[in-house]
Each structure stands twice: as C-alpha cells, then as structure tokens.
C-alpha cells in the first residue's frame, strides 16, 4: 500500500531511493558555507536517463523540490538541501559513452569524474581542458552546471567553451537535446550555454558532449618568487603586455605559501613573499617560457625553471591550496573576478580592508583571468561577533570587486551563499528576465529552488 | 499634425528616419536568397542608444515589427524586410568606445566594422579573433547577432567565445546589461550567450565588450595542393591526428579554384585539384607548420610554404571565394557542419547527389571546424524547373548533413531562408522552448518576427 509520495517513488525505483539517515546527512550539503542545516527527505541515486525522467515526473506530480548533485564539491551551496527536497545524485551515471578521436569529442554521462575523462582522452593524445582544482573528484555534470573554470582556462577557456551539446531532463520529465556534435553550430538559440552555469535550476544534465583539445607536446613551468604580492600581481600584467599566453598563470600570496608549507612540509615561503606559477604549453612552450622568464626577471623576480617533477608538484600544491581546510561560517573562500588591469589595486584595497576589520586574509588567484580566491577567516573562539566582522569584510570585498568593474563570482556560481550579492551586480530588469526564463523551464519551481537567481 | 505612427516617429527622430524609395530598396534585404521582395515602411538610422530605445518604445506602442541591421552581409535573410516592418540600421553607431590594452578588452558600438576594430587593436599588439570572410564590411553587432564564425575560428573559437558583455535594448525599450567586463563570470544565467546568435529576435545589441587576443608574433602559411577533394579532406583529418592546431584550415575544391582563377587571373587549378590552405601562428608557428608539412607530403600533397605576400594573397582569395557572386534563387550557398571524421564521406555523398539532380556544385570549407559551404547552382535560362531541382538538392544536402551527425547551419544563422530545415534538426520540445523564451523578451512579437526560430 502506497502511503506517501516518497513511498510511491521508492516503489517505482526501489534500488535508487535511500532514506538512510547516514545518506541523508552525507548528501545534505556541498562544500560551501551553510547558513542553515536542512536534511533532504531522500537521496535518489539515478542510474539511467529514464530514472531521472521518472524522478522528475514524480516530482512534478507531487511538487517536490529536486536538488541535483554531482560530487558535492561545489563551494556556493548550490547542492545544499532545502526544505522538503530530495537530492538527485548523478554520481552513478559515470560511464564515458564514447571518445571520438577523429572528431576530437567525447560523450559522457554527467557523473563522470573530470580526471577520469582526462585519463581516457590522454590515450588518444587529447585532453578535456577545463580543470577545476577539484578535477580529481568533481563531475562533468557539476562542472557544466556551474560552468566551472580552472587552471588551464587561462589559455583554453571555461567549461562553456568546451561543451558542444547536452541532453537535459526538464522539470516535467521531458528529455531534450541542445547544441550539436560539431565544433560550430548556430541553429536556434544557444540553449546549451543557457544550461551551462544554471546550477540545476533549469534542468538536469544527463549527457554531455564535449570538445577535446590536443595534449600539448611540450610543457614548461616557471616558478617566479617575488618579494610581495603587489609585485607578483604586476608580473601578471607584464606577461600580458609581452603578449605571451600562458596555459596556467596562478598567483599565491605569502600566507598561502605559509599554509601550504604547514600542510605539506615545503619551503615555499622561504623562497619568497609571493609566488607566480606559470606554465606554457604547445610547440612554442620553450620560447614562451623564455620570453616570460625575461619579463619576470626584469621585474626583480627570482625565477626558477622547475624540472618536470618539481613543476608538477608545485601545480599540484596550488590545486590543493583551496582544499586544505573546509569553509564554514568562520572561514569563507571568495571567488570575485576583476579586469586584469585592476588586480594590483584590488589586492591592495582588500588587504587594507581586512586589516580594518581585523580579519585574516590569504589569496590565491587564477591570475590570468583576473579571478581571485581570497579566503577570509576569524578565530572560532571569538564566536558570533567575529562572524559579523567576517561578514562585513566579505560584503566589502565583493562591493570593492564590483566597484573595480568586476563580478561577484568568477567560477563557483551563485548557489545559495552568494545570493545576497547578486542584486548588487544585476539590475532589476535582468533579475526579472531570469525569473521568467526559469518559469519557462520550470513553471512549478521545483528545480533547485532558492539557488542561482534571485526569485 | 501627426497622421500615422511613422509621422510620429519622424517627428520624434527627424534626422534618423528615411522614407526615400532608394533607401527602402537598399535596406530591404541582406545578401541571402530572397523568397519574396518586401519593402520596409521606413529605414531608421540610429545614432545613439537613446534613439534605439525611442524606436522600440514607439514600436511597442504601435506594434510595429523592427528588423535590425548591421551591414546587411548576412547570408540567411535574417535582415530581410518583412511585412509592415521598419529597418533599424545600426551602422552609424560605429564608434570604438575604448580599447583597454591591459585588460585585453574593447568596448564598441554595434556598427563598428570588424576590420576597423582589428586595425585599432593591432596598435596594441592585439586582435579581435573572429574574422568572418566578410570582416572588411560586416559589423560587430551583426557578428554578435549571428554568432559569426570565420577563418581564425579553427584556433580561436567563434564570436560567442570572444563576447564578454552586451548592452541590449529590449522590445519595450528597456536597456539591460548582460555579462561582465572580466574574462570569467558566472553570476546568473548566461544571457550574453543567449543573445549571441539570436539574430535580432530577442533584443537590439547596442554595445559590445569583447575579449581581444594576442597578435601572433609569427605566422606561417602552407598551400597544399592535392589531386582531388577527398584526398585534401583526408589531409584535414591527418593534421588533427598529428594533434597540431592550425589557426586557419581552409579547404577549396577544384571548381572553386577554377572560379577564383576566372575572377582573379590566378593559376590555382593548374597547381592541383583541391587546395588545403593552412596557417599556423604564435611562438610555435614554424615548428607546427613543419609538422603539418610532413604530414601532408606523406599523403602525396604538393606543399609549398608560401612567402608572406603570396600567403596573404591566397588567404585573401579564400576570403573572396564566397563573395564572387551573389546568391539568388538560382544559386544558393550552404553552411552545414559535420563532425570532422565525416568530412570525406559527406563530400562524396554530396557530389553524387549533385550529379543525380544535375545541379552544379562547388565547395569551400572552414575544414578545421567541419563547416562546409557548398554552393549549388543551376542555369538561369532553365527557369522554374531548374529551381525545383536546386531546391531538392539543397534539401538533400541538409538532410545528409543531419544524417552524418551535423547541423543545418554552422555559422550563417537560420535567418529566414533556413527556417524550412530547423524542425529537421530540433525537436518539437526545443522549438517550443525557444518560442517561449522569445515571448519572455518580446511578448508582442515585434523583434524580427519570422526569423531564427520556428514560431
Ligand atoms: C578543493 C576545491 C577546489 C576547487 N577548485 C575549483 C576551480 O578551480 N574552479 C572551479 O570552477 N570550481 C572549483 N571548485 C568548486 C567545484 O569543484 C566546482 O563548482 C565543480 O564544478 C562542482 O562539481 P560537482 O560535481 O562537485 O557538483 P556539485 O557540487 O554536486 O553541484 C554543483 C551545482 O551543480 C548542480 N548540479 C550538479 N550536477 C548536476 C547535473 N547533472 N545537472 C544539473 N545540475 C547539476 C548542483 O545542483 C549544484 O547547484 C573547487 C572545489 C573544491 C572543494
Ligand atoms: C562574402 C561573404 C563572406 C562571409 N563570410 C562569413 C564567414 O566566414 N563566417 C560567417 O559567420 N559569416 C560570413 N558571412 C555572413 C555575414 O557576413 C555574417 O553573418 C555577419 O556576421 C553579418 O554581419 P552584418 O553586420 O552584415 O549583419 P546583417 O547582415 O545586417 O544582420 C545579420 C543578422 O543580425 C541581426 N542584427 C544585425 N545587427 C544587429 C544588432 N545590432 N542587434 C541585434 N540584431 C542585429 C539582423 O537582424 C540579422 O538577423 C559572409 C558574408 C559574405 C557576403
């Protein structure tokens, strides 16, 4: 006998639905700060497109909110559970459906891990370029839903630039295809780009066709240590002025170097007050690295061309520099972006501001894109009052980024946590258009409500 | 005394509105085939954003259809006049508002000519990468509205990949800003991408912020002559298999070479039955060109490394290979794209099909993107019956492209002429979603009605 909507779902998809308390807790949140703890009423582990369609038909029938989830590595609370929701996990849909070496494309299920796709592509001399620092565990579906950036984006662009086509299950269970399997295509509106970065609020991504790029036949990595952060940031501009395009251009401040040394036993901080990590790739890699070295030495940097093991280790350390500790209400990592020319000024303003609020600050940046990840934190022992200071500092850091012509989020998405800043960036007319676009796709408002856009 | 809506507009914007018969005729169409000749009731030459807003407020009040227009170089009839419309020309809004050499961005009015932006950017060692063969006269606004491709897109991506932010006037005259001035940004839905390629059906683009790329410090061009087209197409695949990324990779068949020789007095057809024109650029250009040369010589091509004057001339000839004659109902240029691996098969199928229908065929392709421009024609003297044959061949060429996993339009847009094929590519659910998105932006249906999507 069927009692509740959930019983009905469990009967229809017995092997997919879990109500085990452990599961509810584990799947209740992503890696972003949580304003409030909410448990989902169930976790659904979809294994097929039909599962996802069945879930959405059921959710439409009973008006149940559905929060999609990849690996839960999101940093904005986009996958946090909300009142009355079920979590729809795509992680078991993790088959690479095909790699087409001559077409230079791959077709994958949404739960495929970014690194797994790269391992498979490498067999064909190819790579999937967008590489969020979480690439070892985040999913392609999550990357698409957040339009993830990453390190190599300096040269190869963000997720959107590599996504050709999608299969998407709409709120009512309808399956649609967007885009094209070809590199180019302009038939109709660009629904693929509209879906990309929509954080599960317009549909569930159940299949992704991506463009692959050529694995570079040569790679050079430079580690440039500067006395301080402003000088290193000036180095970013100087590389740009030399019109040389690195594949990776990452900036780490002294406190980040200290934190890395603390966790990994390295001696980075001893080598300088700020690190600019530069990688060039392709046929011109050696010449590009040399051109960049000359520029940075001219600015007084101590530049070592790292051997390939040491280079990989440094890039790897950088990838961990955001993951060394989990964010919570005492420690929040930010994700603003500013025009490149404003990097130095923005960082100076940020440091002054953090000092004024007595808030700790460390910064890493995808500097080639002007995308900064300042982390602000306060002592847990100080309690509530310190949280208020932290929040003021956060607000001010975001306001400053906007004043400098920037954006509130370069790559992590608005999710739940950044909603309070969205109206600072977008006009009422734009906010309203977004609500009405959502209504077209999700008239009942059951797809990840309260995320990504201001309702 | 105001008599008609048009009188009212003329009174409000006396210097913008023209009803001169010459103007009406000249602005009544773009470069695409015309199914029917329709004259607009007026041509409006906007000079400011406020002009555009005034026009749209007026059009909303009186429910007058508005067809936006850049240079009118479109090939799909997107800018053709339709019943009762006014033409809104943006060509006088042609100021480059700013180039930010450190940010590597430019802000332009929509009427700025693609080549003019490139000339200005070159002063700073920068370029605006998307270069439709019409770059000497097409406008950035038109490029955005069609999501134009071009030659360099093989390496640098299409217009969408270079557009960061837009100002757009909506149907009711509201001015909105979309996107961000930074390279990356994921706040809200990607309205910038949604506008890009929407062919004037969602709003009027009145300002564009683009990302600029570095002018390559070295450029190499190869001309590879093959005995026939299938062999040259195989060369495209072979370059891909060698995992070398050219900046330009254009494929011309024998009949295109003949046509070029006829117009320009060159001797291309004598040199081979098909030409693969390859350009590499950047620090690795020489090594990349050499790697490609080796591959193509291995396939039996006669490869000459062209000196830079001759190379420029060849690339220039290619740019003209679509413009040597105007399309009409006896001669139609197509724009399908197929996955790269299917290039050879598709071309073979196309040639067999053209022969079966007794229709002439020549082909050029942005081969690096699998984007083909076959031109089909019949003798004018044969009249109506030949047109039917031509149309059957066109239909079949498009159907074939779809069967091969391709798209009906790689870069020119659906406009008016390709509407008959859109439902072959898109499902009813997608067609319907597009209609409803249009309704969000344009509830009265006054923005370029009857174009781009199936109503
Ligand atoms: C240490 C660390 C480093 C990171 N580095 C980067 C970085 O360099 N660049 C970067 O951009 N991000 C980075 N992130 C953030 C995060 O990894 C990315 O946002 C990633 O794309 C999320 O993928 P996921 O599979 O974990 O998705 P989740 O966190 O599970 O979900 C993210 C959002 O997408 C939605 N979603 C997930 N799957 C689907 C689907 N199939 N259909 C529809 N909606 C879906 C969810 O509802 C949620 O809104 C980092 C995170 C960590 C913890
Ligand atoms: C010889 C030749 C070669 C070509 N080569 C290429 C090529 O390589 N790649 C390619 O992609 N195309 C090519 N084209 C097609 C054409 O040049 C492009 O589509 C170009 O982007 C159109 O720009 P335009 O300024 O002429 O726009 P128009 O033709 O005036 O308009 C094109 C469409 O955009 C809309 N529109 C124009 N301006 C605006 C605006 N400001 N706001 C909103 N909507 C607007 C119009 O309503 C219409 O639907 C070629 C054309 C020719 C004649």
């Amino acid at each position: 006998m069927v009692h509740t909507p959930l019983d009905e779902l469990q009967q229809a998809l017995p092997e997919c639905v879990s109500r085990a308390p452990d599961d509810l807790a584990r799947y209740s949140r992503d890696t972003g700060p949580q304003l409030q703890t909410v448990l989902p009423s169930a976790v659904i582990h979809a294994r097929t497109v039909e599962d996802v369609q069945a879930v959405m038909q059921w959710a439409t029938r009973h008006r149940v909110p559905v929060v999609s989830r990849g690996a839960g590595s999101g940093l904005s609370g986009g996958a946090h559970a909300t009142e009355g929701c079920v979590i729809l996990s795509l992680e078991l849909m993790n088959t690479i459906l095909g790699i087409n070496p001559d077409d230079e494309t791959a077709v994958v299920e949404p739960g495929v891990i970014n690194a797994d796709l790269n391992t498979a592509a490498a067999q064909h001399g190819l790579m999937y370029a967008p590489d969020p620092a979480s690439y070892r565990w985040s999913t392609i579906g999550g990357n698409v839903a957040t339009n993830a950036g990453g390190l190599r984006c300096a040269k190869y662009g963000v997720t959107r630039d590599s996504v050709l086509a999608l299969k998407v299950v709409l709120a009512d269970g309808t399956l649609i295809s967007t885009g094209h399997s070809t590199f180019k295509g302009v038939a109709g509106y660009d629904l693929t780009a509209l879906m990309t970065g929509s954080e599960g609020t317009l549909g569930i991504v159940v299949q992704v066709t991506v463009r692959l790029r050529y694995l570079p036949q040569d790679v050079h990595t430079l580690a440039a240590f500067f006395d301080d952060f402003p000088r290193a940031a000036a180095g970013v501009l100087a590389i740009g002025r030399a019109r040389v395009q690195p594949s990776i251009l990452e900036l780490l401040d002294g406190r980040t170097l200290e934190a890395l040394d603390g966790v990994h036993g390295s001696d980075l901080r001893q080598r300088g007050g700020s690190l600019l990590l530069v990688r060039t790739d392709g046929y011109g890699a050696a010449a590009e690295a040399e051109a960049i070295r000359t520029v940075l030495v001219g600015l007084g940097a101590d530049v070592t061309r790292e051997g390939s093991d040491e280079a990989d280790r440094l890039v790897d350390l950088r990838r961990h520099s955001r993951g060394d500790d989990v964010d919570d209400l005492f420690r929040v990592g930010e994700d603003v972006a500013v025009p490149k020319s404003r990097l130095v000024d923005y960082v100076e303003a940020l440091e002054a501001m953090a000092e004024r609020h007595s808030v700790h600050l460390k910064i890493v940046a995808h500097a080639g894109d002007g995308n900064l990840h300042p982390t602000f934190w306060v002592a847990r022992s100080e309690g509530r009052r310190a949280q208020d200071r932290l929040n003021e500092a956060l607000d001010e850091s975001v306001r400053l980024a906007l004043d400098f012509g920037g954006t509130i989020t370069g790559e992590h998405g608005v999710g739940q946590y950044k909603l309070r800043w969205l109206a600072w960036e977008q006009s009422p007319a734009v906010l309203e258009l977004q609500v009405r676009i959502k209504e077209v796709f999700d008239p009942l408002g059951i797809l990840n409500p309260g995320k990504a856009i201001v309702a």
Side-chain angles (χ1 to χ4, degrees), chain A residues 243-256:
Chain A
R243 306 301 184 218
V244 190
Q245 180 64 64
S247 62
I248 292 182
L249 184 51
E250 296 288 318
L251 185 53
L252 294 76
D253 75 351
R255 265 154 311 202
T256 300

PDB file of all heavy atoms in Angstrom, chain A residues 243-256:
ATOM      1  N   ARG A 243      52.415  40.034 -24.423  1.00  0.00           N
ATOM      2  CA  ARG A 243      51.552  39.314 -25.363  1.00  0.00           C
ATOM      3  C   ARG A 243      51.968  37.855 -25.516  1.00  0.00           C
ATOM      4  O   ARG A 243      52.037  37.320 -26.637  1.00  0.00           O
ATOM      5  CB  ARG A 243      51.523  40.021 -26.729  1.00  0.00           C
ATOM      6  CG  ARG A 243      51.141  41.516 -26.693  1.00  0.00           C
ATOM      7  CD  ARG A 243      49.792  41.770 -26.105  1.00  0.00           C
ATOM      8  NE  ARG A 243      49.367  43.169 -26.150  1.00  0.00           N
ATOM      9  CZ  ARG A 243      48.686  43.746 -25.155  1.00  0.00           C
ATOM     10  NH1 ARG A 243      48.375  43.094 -24.046  1.00  0.00           N
ATOM     11  NH2 ARG A 243      48.290  44.999 -25.269  1.00  0.00           N
ATOM     12  N   VAL A 244      52.282  37.248 -24.389  1.00  0.00           N
ATOM     13  CA  VAL A 244      52.554  35.805 -24.364  1.00  0.00           C
ATOM     14  C   VAL A 244      51.436  35.147 -23.568  1.00  0.00           C
ATOM     15  O   VAL A 244      51.112  35.592 -22.465  1.00  0.00           O
ATOM     16  CB  VAL A 244      53.899  35.494 -23.670  1.00  0.00           C
ATOM     17  CG1 VAL A 244      54.266  34.024 -23.893  1.00  0.00           C
ATOM     18  CG2 VAL A 244      55.007  36.398 -24.183  1.00  0.00           C
ATOM     19  N   GLN A 245      50.869  34.083 -24.117  1.00  0.00           N
ATOM     20  CA  GLN A 245      49.712  33.433 -23.486  1.00  0.00           C
ATOM     21  C   GLN A 245      50.132  32.184 -22.717  1.00  0.00           C
ATOM     22  O   GLN A 245      50.404  31.150 -23.317  1.00  0.00           O
ATOM     23  CB  GLN A 245      48.686  33.062 -24.565  1.00  0.00           C
ATOM     24  CG  GLN A 245      47.442  32.377 -24.024  1.00  0.00           C
ATOM     25  CD  GLN A 245      46.641  33.291 -23.101  1.00  0.00           C
ATOM     26  OE1 GLN A 245      46.128  34.302 -23.529  1.00  0.00           O
ATOM     27  NE2 GLN A 245      46.582  32.935 -21.822  1.00  0.00           N
ATOM     28  N   PRO A 246      50.194  32.239 -21.391  1.00  0.00           N
ATOM     29  CA  PRO A 246      50.482  31.011 -20.640  1.00  0.00           C
ATOM     30  C   PRO A 246      49.248  30.117 -20.641  1.00  0.00           C
ATOM     31  O   PRO A 246      48.129  30.595 -20.829  1.00  0.00           O
ATOM     32  CB  PRO A 246      50.743  31.512 -19.211  1.00  0.00           C
ATOM     33  CG  PRO A 246      50.626  33.012 -19.255  1.00  0.00           C
ATOM     34  CD  PRO A 246      49.934  33.382 -20.518  1.00  0.00           C
ATOM     35  N   SER A 247      49.468  28.827 -20.395  1.00  0.00           N
ATOM     36  CA  SER A 247      48.306  27.941 -20.226  1.00  0.00           C
ATOM     37  C   SER A 247      47.835  27.991 -18.780  1.00  0.00           C
ATOM     38  O   SER A 247      46.656  27.810 -18.503  1.00  0.00           O
ATOM     39  CB  SER A 247      48.643  26.512 -20.648  1.00  0.00           C
ATOM     40  OG  SER A 247      49.666  25.980 -19.851  1.00  0.00           O
ATOM     41  N   ILE A 248      48.751  28.223 -17.852  1.00  0.00           N
ATOM     42  CA  ILE A 248      48.410  28.366 -16.439  1.00  0.00           C
ATOM     43  C   ILE A 248      49.129  29.592 -15.902  1.00  0.00           C
ATOM     44  O   ILE A 248      50.303  29.799 -16.211  1.00  0.00           O
ATOM     45  CB  ILE A 248      48.834  27.102 -15.648  1.00  0.00           C
ATOM     46  CG1 ILE A 248      47.972  25.887 -16.053  1.00  0.00           C
ATOM     47  CG2 ILE A 248      48.750  27.336 -14.149  1.00  0.00           C
ATOM     48  CD1 ILE A 248      48.295  24.606 -15.277  1.00  0.00           C
ATOM     49  N   LEU A 249      48.423  30.404 -15.141  1.00  0.00           N
ATOM     50  CA  LEU A 249      49.044  31.589 -14.547  1.00  0.00           C
ATOM     51  C   LEU A 249      48.389  31.805 -13.182  1.00  0.00           C
ATOM     52  O   LEU A 249      47.346  32.435 -13.067  1.00  0.00           O
ATOM     53  CB  LEU A 249      48.826  32.799 -15.468  1.00  0.00           C
ATOM     54  CG  LEU A 249      49.480  34.125 -15.057  1.00  0.00           C
ATOM     55  CD1 LEU A 249      50.961  33.949 -14.744  1.00  0.00           C
ATOM     56  CD2 LEU A 249      49.318  35.170 -16.165  1.00  0.00           C
ATOM     57  N   GLU A 250      49.014  31.244 -12.166  1.00  0.00           N
ATOM     58  CA  GLU A 250      48.435  31.231 -10.827  1.00  0.00           C
ATOM     59  C   GLU A 250      49.267  32.086  -9.888  1.00  0.00           C
ATOM     60  O   GLU A 250      50.501  32.084  -9.943  1.00  0.00           O
ATOM     61  CB  GLU A 250      48.389  29.791 -10.297  1.00  0.00           C
ATOM     62  CG  GLU A 250      47.491  28.864 -11.099  1.00  0.00           C
ATOM     63  CD  GLU A 250      46.007  29.141 -10.891  1.00  0.00           C
ATOM     64  OE1 GLU A 250      45.599  29.374  -9.740  1.00  0.00           O
ATOM     65  OE2 GLU A 250      45.251  29.134 -11.888  1.00  0.00           O
ATOM     66  N   LEU A 251      48.573  32.776  -9.008  1.00  0.00           N
ATOM     67  CA  LEU A 251      49.225  33.720  -8.104  1.00  0.00           C
ATOM     68  C   LEU A 251      48.897  33.300  -6.674  1.00  0.00           C
ATOM     69  O   LEU A 251      47.737  33.075  -6.335  1.00  0.00           O
ATOM     70  CB  LEU A 251      48.633  35.095  -8.414  1.00  0.00           C
ATOM     71  CG  LEU A 251      49.161  36.334  -7.746  1.00  0.00           C
ATOM     72  CD1 LEU A 251      50.661  36.455  -7.895  1.00  0.00           C
ATOM     73  CD2 LEU A 251      48.490  37.562  -8.383  1.00  0.00           C
ATOM     74  N   LEU A 252      49.940  33.177  -5.831  1.00  0.00           N
ATOM     75  CA  LEU A 252      49.735  32.760  -4.437  1.00  0.00           C
ATOM     76  C   LEU A 252      50.404  33.784  -3.537  1.00  0.00           C
ATOM     77  O   LEU A 252      51.566  34.143  -3.770  1.00  0.00           O
ATOM     78  CB  LEU A 252      50.342  31.372  -4.178  1.00  0.00           C
ATOM     79  CG  LEU A 252      49.724  30.159  -4.888  1.00  0.00           C
ATOM     80  CD1 LEU A 252      50.116  30.091  -6.357  1.00  0.00           C
ATOM     81  CD2 LEU A 252      50.132  28.860  -4.189  1.00  0.00           C
ATOM     82  N   ASP A 253      49.713  34.208  -2.510  1.00  0.00           N
ATOM     83  CA  ASP A 253      50.338  35.177  -1.621  1.00  0.00           C
ATOM     84  C   ASP A 253      51.120  34.469  -0.507  1.00  0.00           C
ATOM     85  O   ASP A 253      51.096  33.241  -0.389  1.00  0.00           O
ATOM     86  CB  ASP A 253      49.304  36.174  -1.062  1.00  0.00           C
ATOM     87  CG  ASP A 253      48.423  35.576   0.009  1.00  0.00           C
ATOM     88  OD1 ASP A 253      48.480  34.346   0.226  1.00  0.00           O
ATOM     89  OD2 ASP A 253      47.657  36.339   0.627  1.00  0.00           O
ATOM     90  N   GLY A 254      51.831  35.280   0.297  1.00  0.00           N
ATOM     91  CA  GLY A 254      52.721  34.720   1.321  1.00  0.00           C
ATOM     92  C   GLY A 254      51.991  33.845   2.322  1.00  0.00           C
ATOM     93  O   GLY A 254      52.495  32.795   2.723  1.00  0.00           O
ATOM     94  N   ARG A 255      50.792  34.279   2.722  1.00  0.00           N
ATOM     95  CA  ARG A 255      50.079  33.477   3.714  1.00  0.00           C
ATOM     96  C   ARG A 255      49.619  32.128   3.139  1.00  0.00           C
ATOM     97  O   ARG A 255      49.540  31.141   3.848  1.00  0.00           O
ATOM     98  CB  ARG A 255      48.906  34.269   4.297  1.00  0.00           C
ATOM     99  CG  ARG A 255      49.332  34.959   5.611  1.00  0.00           C
ATOM    100  CD  ARG A 255      48.517  36.190   5.891  1.00  0.00           C
ATOM    101  NE  ARG A 255      48.472  37.049   4.693  1.00  0.00           N
ATOM    102  CZ  ARG A 255      48.217  38.355   4.719  1.00  0.00           C
ATOM    103  NH1 ARG A 255      47.982  38.961   5.864  1.00  0.00           N
ATOM    104  NH2 ARG A 255      48.205  39.044   3.614  1.00  0.00           N
ATOM    105  N   THR A 256      49.329  32.108   1.863  1.00  0.00           N
ATOM    106  CA  THR A 256      49.000  30.829   1.232  1.00  0.00           C
ATOM    107  C   THR A 256      50.238  29.934   1.199  1.00  0.00           C
ATOM    108  O   THR A 256      50.153  28.734   1.466  1.00  0.00           O
ATOM    109  CB  THR A 256      48.477  31.067  -0.205  1.00  0.00           C
ATOM    110  OG1 THR A 256      47.309  31.890  -0.131  1.00  0.00           O
ATOM    111  CG2 THR A 256      48.131  29.755  -0.889  1.00  0.00           C
TER     112      THR A 256
END
